[in-house]
Each structure stands twice: as structure tokens, then as C-alpha cells.
Amino acid sequence: MATADDVRRLALSLPGAMEKLAWGMPTFRLEGGGKVFASLDDDDKVMGVKCPKEDREELIACEPEKFFIRVGHDENYAWLRVRLAALDDDEELYTILLDSWRQAAPRKLLDAHPELGRPPVA
């Protein structure tokens, strides 16, 4: 089971990542431009991450115990909520955070870290 401390540790291990309090919650963003790639909800049990709108429905349908959107908030954004207790391990958490980081990272940062791969081209 993943915890808020695991999110913080793994998110901050990504290049250019920093933590900043926003909307009363910890957010993890890229230095410079400040693009948010993850956040913790105020209960520390749910994480928000970037996710293309067209991918959300399938993820939620396949694993509704793990993924959801916050009704009244997330519908208009490329954002997905993840229940930390439903994650299998640190590897799954890292994979989700890395995917979100890739979506937020500028090309220059991606080019500087080829070992982290590139996001799939839609």
C-alpha cells in the first residue's frame, strides 16, 4: 500500500521536481515553469496526476477501485485521481508518477533524461 510519504519520495526523485503547497495541498511540479504533475488530496489517501482525457474512461472502467475523477472538478481537466491504498507497490506508483511527469516536462528536460523515456505519441 502506497502512502503520501511514498508519493513525496518518488515524485521528488524525478528530475526538476519540487514540492509546493497550493490550494491547501502538497503539489509536485517542475522547477521553472511550475507545471504540476501530481498532487496529494488533503486526506493524504488520494493522489492526482495528469492523464489525457481520452485515456481516463478506460482506466476507470478497468480498475474503478484504483482510479476515478472527482465529479465537479476533474471533468474539464486532463487529470485523474488515484487511491493510494489500491496501488500494488512502489513500482506501480513510480510508473504512474513518471507518466504524469513526462506529460508535464518540457522537451528540453525530456531530452536531458533519455533514460526516463518519452511519453507515447497520441
Side-chain angles (χ1 to χ4, degrees), residues 21-113:
L21 195 63
W23 312 289
M25 299 176 291
T27 63
F28 303 93
R29 53 185 68 218
L30 298 171
E31 295 172 346
K35 283 190 174 181
V36 176
F37 67 90
S39 67
L40 285 167
D41 284 6
D42 55 7
D43 65 0
D44 283 348
K45 295 179 181 181
V46 173
M47 168 180 72
V49 292
K50 293 184 75 60
C51 180
K53 289 181 188 179
E54 58 273 11
D55 295 343
R56 294 187 313 193
E57 190 174 318
E58 183 178 351
L59 286 167
I60 293 167
C62 289
E63 297 185 271
E65 73 288 348
K66 192 175 293 184
F67 302 112
F68 68 101
I69 61 170
R70 196 167 66 195
V71 177
H73 187 272
D74 296 332
E75 296 94 346
N76 297 319
Y77 302 98
W79 206 248
L80 179 71
R81 304 291 165 160
V82 182
R83 291 179 182 93
L84 297 178
L87 296 176
D88 295 329
D89 52 28
D90 272 3
E91 184 176 340
E92 183 178 26
L93 173 58
Y94 181 76
T95 299
I96 292 168
L97 284 166
L98 178 58
D99 184 59
S100 186
W101 176 88
R102 285 180 186 137
Q103 292 175 62
R107 179 155 309 280
K108 185 176 181 178
L109 186 57
L110 292 170
D111 288 346
H113 297 280

